[in-house]
Amino acid sequence: MMQKAIPCMLMRGGTSKGTYYLDSDLPADPAAREEVLLRVMGSPDSRQIDGVGGAHPLTSKVAIIKKSAREGIDVDYLFVQVVVDEARTSTAQNCGNILAGVGPFAIENGLVEANDGETIVTVYMENTDSIARQRILTPGKQVQYDGDAAIDGVPGTHAPIMIEFVGVAGSSCGALFPSGNVVDEVDGIPVTLVDNGMPVVMISAPDLGLKGDESIEALEGNTALKERVEAIRLKVGPMMNLGDVKDKTVPKMTIVSPAQNGGLINTRSFIPHRVHDAVGVLAAASVAVAATTPGAVGHDLATIPAGERKLCHVEHPTGALAVEVELSDDPADPAPKSVAIMRTARLLMAGTAYYIPVA
Ligand code: NQM
């Protein structure tokens, strides 16, 4: 079968990497569309050797972008996780790292006209029916990628992209604390089920016999731990209004312990089977809100910053991710008043991707 071609950009968004497409370039038929996403990435194959994927969930991600018909919104963004070693994709989760590249992509492709200086791109996140506002540096109406901003998990410095989230609390699970409790007990272990943009299960490290600063390799090599964590994950799926999560990449399982470098709290995250090199953006936003909520798992371990707008450094295996949260002061509505983060992104390649259809 002849190779087929499709316009595509390869971008780093935050600490993740993926293929970015214009919705109009992809086939409309869902099965044909999924085939393109899989084949370009090189899935299913644990090495993704016949595609551009990086053989890890963090580098097997897709953004599909179109001009928005919604009032006050510039572009619609659909995130797709391409499973590395199975012929499967999932839209059951959002991704705040890949999101960082969405505004730059929209400007590069003429979906948003840049100002000379700075451009705000308002993004509707289809996976979670919520909004992100991105501030992008655009001197001379061109996206600036180089700069002085550093994020842990990415070498060097780049142009900062400030992202403010609107309406992310409960966006996947229906409520910030979807079980109706700030703490539940599952398999004899206290857990906090939280969704401030990403469904996350917080578990205290000692409750799993861990210190919380274990290496990624040690955690991924601990079969008994992985089985225990997965058993809890499968049980909490329905409690989080996510149903059967066996084939879903949510909820994320986050092991928390006291911060080691002056931050809010330390984390190790199963996403949900591999361990994250850092922490997801929206996952960190969920962790930050849980850890600052009295009674939740992690609250007693956390060092909570003072002030109304709290800059919470969520520590992870390669540094920390800072989330600025303004907590609710309304007991009837615990959703935070604001959530913001800083990311960087970079256009790595622009052009044509080639793939061979299976059928
Ligand atoms: O939580 C990985 C990532 C993510 C998700 C994952 C993310 C987020 O770091 O917003 O960014 O948990 O699958 O790309």
Side-chain angles (χ1 to χ4, degrees):
M1 171 119 15
M2 288 267 289
Q3 294 229 91
K4 289 201 167 184
I6 183 164
C8 179
M9 282 182 165
L10 187 68
M11 299 186 81
R12 173 181 65 76
T15 50
S16 288
K17 188 157 58 179
T19 46
Y20 287 63
Y21 299 94
L22 283 173
D23 179 74
S24 53
D25 285 332
L26 285 163
D29 172 64
R33 176 173 284 227
E34 184 174 51
E35 180 174 46
V36 174
L37 306 185
L38 286 163
R39 296 308 309 147
V40 170
M41 207 60 95
S43 287
D45 170 31
S46 60
R47 291 198 301 147
Q48 292 184 324
I49 195 67
D50 202 31
V52 303
H56 191 282
L58 297 176
T59 50
S60 184
K61 296 183 169 240
V62 172
I64 302 175
I65 296 147
K66 60 173 182 260
K67 210 171 168 67
S68 185
R70 292 163 196 272
E71 209 180 317
I73 306 288
D74 295 306
V75 290
D76 293 347
Y77 153 53
L78 178 69
F79 169 70
V80 187
Q81 180 72 52
V82 174
V83 177
V84 172
D85 52 4
E86 290 174 49
R88 206 157 52 78
T89 66
S90 172
T91 55
Q93 75 162 89
N94 192 358
C95 179
N97 272 305
I98 287 298
L99 167 71
V102 169
F105 176 92
I107 295 169
E108 297 283 5
N109 286 277
L111 301 182
V112 172
E113 198 183 326
N115 302 318
D116 184 6
E118 190 178 278
T119 305
I120 307 282
V121 179
T122 305
V123 180
Y124 174 72
M125 302 187 287
E126 294 184 41
N127 307 75
T128 50
D129 184 25
S130 54
I131 290 165
R133 219 168 275 129
Q134 305 187 309
R135 208 162 72 223
I136 296 159
L137 296 180
T138 50
K141 303 191 179 184
Q142 302 287 318
V143 178
Q144 179 182 331
Y145 294 102
D146 62 309
D148 297 332
I151 57 171
D152 287 337
V154 178
T157 63
H158 300 89
I161 299 174
M162 303 307 301
I163 307 180
E164 193 190 317
F165 293 102
V166 182
V168 289
S171 55
S172 292
C173 301
L176 182 64
F177 296 108
S179 67
N181 308 313
V182 293
V183 62
D184 289 284
E185 198 177 298
V186 178
D187 287 353
I189 292 181
V191 294
T192 286
L193 314 178
V194 59
D195 170 20
N196 188 32
M198 181 64 73
V200 166
V201 180
M202 307 260 288
I203 309 178
S204 177
D207 285 339
L208 292 169
L210 301 171
K211 271 182 68 197
D213 60 355
E214 286 77 7
S215 70
I216 294 170
E217 295 72 27
L219 294 169
E220 289 192 343
N222 187 337
T223 310
L225 171 72
K226 281 171 38 179
E227 282 171 2
R228 211 164 156 203
V229 168
E230 181 65 0
I232 296 172
R233 197 179 79 84
L234 296 178
K235 285 192 181 138
V236 299
M239 295 166 71
M240 298 183 83
N241 303 319
L242 296 168
D244 179 359
V245 294
K246 191 173 163 296
D247 289 332
K248 293 187 180 157
T249 55
V250 283
K252 310 295 178 181
M253 306 300 286
T254 301
I255 299 166
V256 293
S257 60
Q260 296 189 320
N261 295 299
L264 172 78
I265 202 160
N266 194 16
T267 63
R268 295 289 184 270
S269 302
F270 283 91
I271 60 166
H273 303 126
R274 299 294 302 269
V275 174
H276 205 304
D277 293 315
V279 64
V281 166
L282 291 155
S286 293
V287 168
V289 169
T292 49
T293 300
V297 169
H299 185 262
D300 289 350
L301 309 170
T303 308
I304 300 172
E308 293 244 307
R309 279 181 177 238
K310 297 183 187 303
L311 190 61
C312 300
H313 289 88
V314 176
E315 297 185 1
H316 56 66
T318 47
L321 195 157
V323 187
E324 190 194 64
V325 218
E326 191 177 353
L327 294 170
S328 165
D329 47 20
D330 176 1
D333 180 10
K337 290 187 198 165
S338 70
V339 180
I341 53 116
M342 192 267 286
R343 294 280 84 186
T344 66
R346 203 162 74 77
L347 173 60
L348 306 175
M349 282 182 70
T352 310
Y354 293 91
Y355 63 99
I356 302 179
V358 173

